mmCIF file of all heavy atoms in Angstrom:
data_model
loop_
_atom_site.group_PDB
_atom_site.id
_atom_site.type_symbol
_atom_site.label_atom_id
_atom_site.label_comp_id
_atom_site.label_asym_id
_atom_site.label_seq_id
_atom_site.Cartn_x
_atom_site.Cartn_y
_atom_site.Cartn_z
ATOM 1 N N ASN J 891 16.861 -1.500 -13.314
ATOM 2 C CA ASN J 891 16.526 -1.654 -11.889
ATOM 3 C C ASN J 891 15.240 -0.929 -11.504
ATOM 4 O O ASN J 891 14.820 -0.974 -10.330
ATOM 5 C CB ASN J 891 17.693 -1.222 -10.992
ATOM 6 C CG ASN J 891 18.016 0.245 -11.102
ATOM 7 O OD1 ASN J 891 17.271 1.019 -11.697
ATOM 8 N ND2 ASN J 891 19.137 0.654 -10.535
ATOM 9 N N GLN J 892 14.633 -0.255 -12.460
ATOM 10 C CA GLN J 892 13.327 0.351 -12.218
ATOM 11 C C GLN J 892 12.187 -0.538 -12.714
ATOM 12 O O GLN J 892 11.019 -0.148 -12.652
ATOM 13 C CB GLN J 892 13.253 1.736 -12.858
ATOM 14 C CG GLN J 892 14.186 2.729 -12.176
ATOM 15 C CD GLN J 892 14.171 4.092 -12.832
ATOM 16 O OE1 GLN J 892 14.521 4.245 -14.019
ATOM 17 N NE2 GLN J 892 13.757 5.099 -12.089
ATOM 18 N N THR J 893 12.538 -1.718 -13.175
ATOM 19 C CA THR J 893 11.509 -2.712 -13.487
ATOM 20 C C THR J 893 10.806 -3.081 -12.191
ATOM 21 O O THR J 893 11.449 -3.539 -11.241
ATOM 22 C CB THR J 893 12.149 -3.954 -14.122
ATOM 23 O OG1 THR J 893 12.670 -3.604 -15.405
ATOM 24 C CG2 THR J 893 11.136 -5.080 -14.268
ATOM 25 N N SER J 894 9.504 -2.867 -12.157
ATOM 26 C CA SER J 894 8.776 -3.048 -10.910
ATOM 27 C C SER J 894 7.285 -2.899 -11.152
ATOM 28 O O SER J 894 6.843 -2.619 -12.270
ATOM 29 C CB SER J 894 9.250 -2.013 -9.873
ATOM 30 O OG SER J 894 8.687 -2.247 -8.598
ATOM 31 N N LEU J 895 6.522 -3.073 -10.081
ATOM 32 C CA LEU J 895 5.080 -2.811 -10.094
ATOM 33 C C LEU J 895 4.855 -1.519 -9.322
ATOM 34 O O LEU J 895 5.270 -1.403 -8.167
ATOM 35 C CB LEU J 895 4.336 -3.977 -9.446
ATOM 36 C CG LEU J 895 2.817 -3.907 -9.362
ATOM 37 C CD1 LEU J 895 2.201 -3.756 -10.747
ATOM 38 C CD2 LEU J 895 2.276 -5.165 -8.680
ATOM 39 N N TYR J 896 4.209 -0.562 -9.976
ATOM 40 C CA TYR J 896 4.045 0.769 -9.392
ATOM 41 C C TYR J 896 2.584 1.019 -9.030
ATOM 42 O O TYR J 896 1.672 0.710 -9.803
ATOM 43 C CB TYR J 896 4.512 1.833 -10.393
ATOM 44 C CG TYR J 896 5.992 1.824 -10.620
ATOM 45 C CD1 TYR J 896 6.563 1.000 -11.589
ATOM 46 C CD2 TYR J 896 6.837 2.610 -9.845
ATOM 47 C CE1 TYR J 896 7.939 0.961 -11.775
ATOM 48 C CE2 TYR J 896 8.206 2.591 -10.032
ATOM 49 C CZ TYR J 896 8.745 1.759 -10.996
ATOM 50 O OH TYR J 896 10.109 1.736 -11.177
ATOM 51 N N PHE J 897 2.406 1.618 -7.864
ATOM 52 C CA PHE J 897 1.061 1.966 -7.406
ATOM 53 C C PHE J 897 0.996 3.433 -7.035
ATOM 54 O O PHE J 897 1.868 3.955 -6.333
ATOM 55 C CB PHE J 897 0.668 1.147 -6.179
ATOM 56 C CG PHE J 897 0.391 -0.286 -6.474
ATOM 57 C CD1 PHE J 897 1.354 -1.246 -6.212
ATOM 58 C CD2 PHE J 897 -0.811 -0.680 -7.023
ATOM 59 C CE1 PHE J 897 1.115 -2.584 -6.483
ATOM 60 C CE2 PHE J 897 -1.063 -2.013 -7.300
ATOM 61 C CZ PHE J 897 -0.091 -2.962 -7.032
ATOM 62 N N CYS J 898 -0.065 4.052 -7.493
ATOM 63 C CA CYS J 898 -0.411 5.389 -7.048
ATOM 64 C C CYS J 898 -1.444 5.254 -5.935
ATOM 65 O O CYS J 898 -2.286 4.333 -5.973
ATOM 66 C CB CYS J 898 -0.993 6.180 -8.223
ATOM 67 S SG CYS J 898 -1.474 7.863 -7.837
ATOM 68 N N ALA J 899 -1.393 6.133 -4.951
ATOM 69 C CA ALA J 899 -2.363 6.088 -3.862
ATOM 70 C C ALA J 899 -2.804 7.497 -3.501
ATOM 71 O O ALA J 899 -2.039 8.459 -3.633
ATOM 72 C CB ALA J 899 -1.772 5.396 -2.637
ATOM 73 N N SER J 900 -4.012 7.584 -3.027
ATOM 74 C CA SER J 900 -4.610 8.842 -2.619
ATOM 75 C C SER J 900 -5.129 8.645 -1.197
ATOM 76 O O SER J 900 -5.733 7.604 -0.912
ATOM 77 C CB SER J 900 -5.749 9.156 -3.593
ATOM 78 O OG SER J 900 -6.490 10.256 -3.184
ATOM 79 N N THR J 901 -4.867 9.602 -0.323
ATOM 80 C CA THR J 901 -5.164 9.413 1.102
ATOM 81 C C THR J 901 -6.262 10.347 1.566
ATOM 82 O O THR J 901 -6.215 11.556 1.321
ATOM 83 C CB THR J 901 -3.905 9.673 1.935
ATOM 84 O OG1 THR J 901 -2.861 8.830 1.475
ATOM 85 C CG2 THR J 901 -4.146 9.372 3.409
ATOM 86 N N SER J 902 -7.233 9.762 2.256
ATOM 87 C CA SER J 902 -8.312 10.578 2.811
ATOM 88 C C SER J 902 -7.788 11.369 3.996
ATOM 89 O O SER J 902 -6.937 10.903 4.738
ATOM 90 C CB SER J 902 -9.468 9.689 3.255
ATOM 91 O OG SER J 902 -9.041 8.814 4.277
ATOM 92 N N THR J 903 -8.282 12.572 4.156
ATOM 93 C CA THR J 903 -7.918 13.369 5.324
ATOM 94 C C THR J 903 -8.793 12.957 6.489
ATOM 95 O O THR J 903 -9.824 12.314 6.314
ATOM 96 C CB THR J 903 -8.098 14.870 5.048
ATOM 97 O OG1 THR J 903 -9.438 15.092 4.591
ATOM 98 C CG2 THR J 903 -7.139 15.331 3.970
#
Side-chain angles (χ1 to χ4, degrees):
Chain J
N891 65 10
Q892 293 178 298
T893 293
S894 187
L895 180 58
Y896 291 87
F897 288 100
C898 180
S900 172
T901 304
S902 62
T903 54

